[in-house]
Amino acid sequence: MKNIQRYMILAIMFMSVGSCNYLDVVPDNLATIDNAFTMRSTAEKYLFTCYRYLPEHGNAAYDPAIAGCDEYWFLFPYITTTNWNSAISIAQGFQRSTNPYLDYWSNTYSQSDPFKGIRDCNIFLENIEDIIDISVDEKKRWIAEVKFLKAYYHFWLFRMYGPIPLIKENLPISAGVETVKAYREPVDDCVNYITELLDEAAPDLPEKIDFETTELGRITKPICLSVKALVLVTAASPLFNGNPDYAGIVDNRNTHLFPASFDNGKWERAALACREAIDLCEGLGYKLYDYSSQQLQGSMLSDSTKTLIAIRNSFSEKWNGEIIWANTQSLATAAQQNATPPGVIASKYPATTGNLNTLGKYSPPLKIAEMFYSSNGLPISEDKTYNYSDRYKLRIVTDEYKYYLQPGYTTVGLHFDREPRFYACLAFDGGLWYGQGSFDDKDQYLMQCRAGQLQVAATTNRTGVTGYWPKKLVNYLSAVATTGSGYTLRNYPWPVMRLSDLYLLYAEALNEAYGPSGSGEANGSPYLWIDKVRERAGLPTVEDAWQNFAFHPAAYQQQSNLREIIQQERLNELAFEGHRFWDLRRWKTAHIELNKPISGWDYQQSAPEYYYRPRILYNQTFMIRDYLWPIDEGELLINRNLVQNYGY
């Protein structure tokens, strides 16, 4: 029997010298810890407790990848919610070392406390063998799930801070003060430990969930192998693989925390992990979402509309066959509300837009709209058939664009001749919005977004500021009332990993490890995996697009150019899903992309010739120091063994 009094004495001792919550050896539930593992039923509750620390993916208040980048911009002053403003402050370049924004190291604002999660995972692993009324196979599965969670919590911290303390086991009750003062471990040690945990977990995880009504969201082997692939691609990327900016980060043991030189073997290892995950997923029936074989709503749809629905549903249709991992603790409700303009239904039903349960505050900047390809599958500045110089001039929509734009409506040239992902992902003035209770693609909702029109918010705090909204986040079956005063969202768990994500990770690893020719093995060409994603998006292959329509038709055959192609493919395919934030950092391109102005249309104007004038909303700044989070200065005072990240 553990002695509660001893825990209390030790807690008082630690408070007297200061302690970091990730090293707190005093469990929250002292009164029940001895009983938690005497029966299967109570141990299962502790298992689910280990899950509750998962990050709130997709929640702009807690996930920095939503509001902390440049995929969305907001009306300032934005909102009184502290954590929303914290993420936006990161996007504005205001990160700080005293009380850092969205600080998961010294977590005080969210239940998603990774260090606390690691501690509870350790408690579970230390006590699981005490359960007697559980089968061997179920015990193995539970252990594997918790090892995965422990690995993922370490990875979440690693991706934010780089080198972190590795909490392999909880400290004993007799631990001295100096033992509590942990060190950050080198990058390679962190990565090796995380992947070691994942390797230990994978064999005992189920390949699929058998009892979907009660177990969807629990960890499976495909999730485990896919996260391992992501971990190794991250570790092989420029931020962590021979980054000269971090060469001087050395602790008081004289240990260099970042690798001094680039190692191409890390890309080879990442490619193998990607391929292993893909083989398993495809063998189990995972495939890119295709709407053409689905039960159709209402009238027969055009091929164009089916493609747009497939792109949207690959993310927003719950548990579709492309989703490898969705976080059941993070429903997309708030994201949908903030993605949907308050007057989205008003073009069909007269509405008082202020009473709709939608906000429309997520505003993709103009540079995100320009990021998507031309209809030929090329960057719009690279497509020799695209009228790039006139993209800001007005055009009247003709009937050939009837499934994307409203015929007869005046909009801007940028909205014409774009790839299907542009129309599937973005809502804008003159664009059409399929679904929302109307399933005839010949009678879609028209977005009218200029001042005085129907999609303009009734109140200033319910509006976007760029003229764009992320339509992709809104499930097309979300329904509106014919009276114009009701709006019901179709909720779904936030997808953390999709098969298209895994395909593009593999293409990237192949190109970095072996170049455009690939590994030389069957299906080892990076083009193959990019083209799978492009085909679903309604685009020609990389080869066809570049050879037939590009100013530089041979560019795709060079490794550096193919790297840029793969990166843009990821940014387009995974737009608004929370990947851009992390990708720009691991590629070390954030100091380029996040130092470009944030622009949008002049949404307060009514005439198209005035509305369609780009205006700068903010001059975003990003410094080299911003690639990683700072460790709070208070933690450094408590523990002198810690060393601060570069630039703080």
Side-chain angles (χ1 to χ4, degrees), residues 276-340:
E276 183 182 9
I278 288 172
D279 286 346
L280 176 65
C281 289
E282 291 187 336
L284 293 172
Y286 288 87
K287 58 183 179 180
L288 298 182
Y289 185 94
D290 179 10
Y291 188 76
S292 62
S293 61
Q294 306 295 314
Q295 182 70 34
L296 301 182
Q297 300 271 352
S299 61
M300 296 299 293
L301 301 176
S302 66
D303 289 341
S304 297
T305 302
K306 292 177 185 177
T307 298
L308 300 190
I309 298 174
I311 294 167
R312 290 175 63 184
N313 280 17
S314 66
F315 182 77
S316 63
E317 181 176 304
K318 65 170 62 175
W319 309 121
N320 73 74
E322 181 172 339
I323 294 176
I324 299 172
W325 183 20
N327 187 348
T328 54
Q329 297 180 180
S330 298
L331 295 179
T333 307
Q336 291 188 73
Q337 289 175 347
N338 284 288
T340 310

Side-chain angles (χ1 to χ4, degrees), residues 140-423:
K140 287 182 177 179
R141 178 188 177 185
W142 288 10
I143 291 172
E145 288 179 76
V146 172
K147 284 186 175 180
F148 171 89
L149 294 170
K150 182 178 174 181
Y152 191 76
Y153 298 146
H154 276 95
F155 175 61
W156 182 262
L157 290 163
F158 171 78
R159 193 159 56 165
M160 296 179 73
Y161 297 93
I164 57 172
L166 298 177
I167 316 301
K168 297 183 178 182
E169 57 186 21
N170 289 344
L171 294 175
I173 201 70
S174 58
V177 173
E178 291 305 314
T179 305
V180 173
K181 296 179 179 179
Y183 284 92
R184 302 174 70 188
E185 299 301 334
V187 162
D188 290 346
D189 290 354
C190 293
V191 173
N192 289 337
Y193 181 63
I194 292 168
T195 55
E196 175 185 314
L197 286 172
L198 296 173
D199 286 340
E200 291 175 2
D204 295 321
L205 289 169
E207 292 185 339
K208 60 184 181 68
I209 296 298
D210 292 324
F211 304 101
E212 294 186 353
T213 56
T214 58
E215 293 189 350
L216 279 174
R218 290 178 66 174
I219 302 305
T220 62
K221 188 173 182 179
I223 294 172
C224 186
L225 294 189
S226 298
V227 168
K228 178 184 175 182
L230 174 61
V231 170
L232 291 176
V233 167
T234 300
S237 298
L239 182 62
F240 296 113
N241 192 358
N243 184 351
D245 294 329
Y246 297 152
I249 300 183
V250 183
D251 65 19
N252 60 22
R253 300 170 298 181
N254 201 32
T255 298
H256 289 259
L257 298 184
F258 288 82
S261 58
F262 169 77
D263 180 3
N264 194 62
K266 293 179 180 179
W267 279 114
E268 296 174 359
R269 185 184 178 195
L272 288 173
C274 290
R275 184 54 188 269
E276 183 182 9
I278 288 172
D279 286 346
L280 176 65
C281 289
E282 291 187 336
L284 293 172
Y286 288 87
K287 58 183 179 180
L288 298 182
Y289 185 94
D290 179 10
Y291 188 76
S292 62
S293 61
Q294 306 295 314
Q295 182 70 34
L296 301 182
Q297 300 271 352
S299 61
M300 296 299 293
L301 301 176
S302 66
D303 289 341
S304 297
T305 302
K306 292 177 185 177
T307 298
L308 300 190
I309 298 174
I311 294 167
R312 290 175 63 184
N313 280 17
S314 66
F315 182 77
S316 63
E317 181 176 304
K318 65 170 62 175
W319 309 121
N320 73 74
E322 181 172 339
I323 294 176
I324 299 172
W325 183 20
N327 187 348
T328 54
Q329 297 180 180
S330 298
L331 295 179
T333 307
Q336 291 188 73
Q337 289 175 347
N338 284 288
T340 310
V344 69
I345 65 170
S347 58
K348 279 184 176 289
Y349 308 123
T352 302
T353 60
N355 66 0
L356 292 178
N357 189 30
T358 58
L359 300 174
K361 293 182 178 180
Y362 284 11
S363 298
L366 187 55
K367 68 174 180 177
I368 298 298
E370 294 190 331
M371 172 187 73
F372 289 95
Y373 291 144
S374 70
S375 58
N376 293 320
L378 293 171
I380 57 176
S381 60
E382 178 63 31
D383 189 336
K384 62 186 180 183
T385 70
Y386 186 83
N387 191 356
Y388 183 77
S389 60
D390 289 344
R391 67 192 185 281
Y392 296 157
K393 293 185 177 180
L394 299 181
R395 287 176 60 178
I396 297 176
V397 180
T398 58
D399 198 57
E400 65 178 300
Y401 300 99
K402 63 183 178 181
Y403 296 116
Y404 304 135
L405 306 170
Q406 179 66 37
Y409 197 88
T410 299
T411 185
V412 72
L414 186 68
H415 298 163
F416 292 79
D417 303 310
R418 305 299 300 276
E419 64 161 313
R421 285 180 299 206
F422 175 84
Y423 301 106

Side-chain angles (χ1 to χ4, degrees), residues 64-66 68-69 71 90 578-585 629:
I66 304 303
C69 194
E71 283 191 295
I90 293 174
H579 294 277
R580 179 181 174 92
F581 180 94
W582 301 112
D583 280 342
L584 294 182
R585 280 163 168 76
W629 259 251

Side-chain angles (χ1 to χ4, degrees), residues 91-113:
Q92 291 176 296
F94 296 153
Q95 186 58 284
R96 60 199 182 185
S97 57
T98 301
N99 191 22
Y101 294 114
L102 295 186
D103 178 18
Y104 276 81
W105 190 294
S106 307
N107 193 316
T108 57
Y109 60 86
S110 171
Q111 72 172 23
S112 305
D113 184 336

Side-chain angles (χ1 to χ4, degrees), residues 70-78 88 338-339 341-342 359-366 427 449 455-457 459-470 598-605 611 613-618:
D70 64 341
E71 283 191 295
Y72 307 115
W73 212 248
F74 305 89
L75 186 69
F76 297 112
Y78 177 60
I88 296 168
N338 284 288
L359 300 174
K361 293 182 178 180
Y362 284 11
S363 298
L366 187 55
C449 308
Q455 267 69 61
V456 178
T459 57
T460 56
N461 69 336
R462 301 171 66 91
T463 189
V465 293
T466 66
Y468 293 98
W469 291 267
I598 298 293
S599 301
W601 304 123
D602 193 346
Y603 71 97
Q604 295 176 317
Q605 302 297 326
Y611 177 89
R613 295 183 302 183
R615 67 187 188 112
I616 294 178
L617 300 170
Y618 191 80

Side-chain angles (χ1 to χ4, degrees), residues 36-37 39-47 124 128 131 142:
F37 297 94
M39 296 185 297
R40 180 194 176 280
S41 58
T42 53
E44 187 176 40
K45 293 178 181 178
Y46 208 103
L47 168 67
F124 183 93
I128 182 66
I131 309 173
W142 288 10

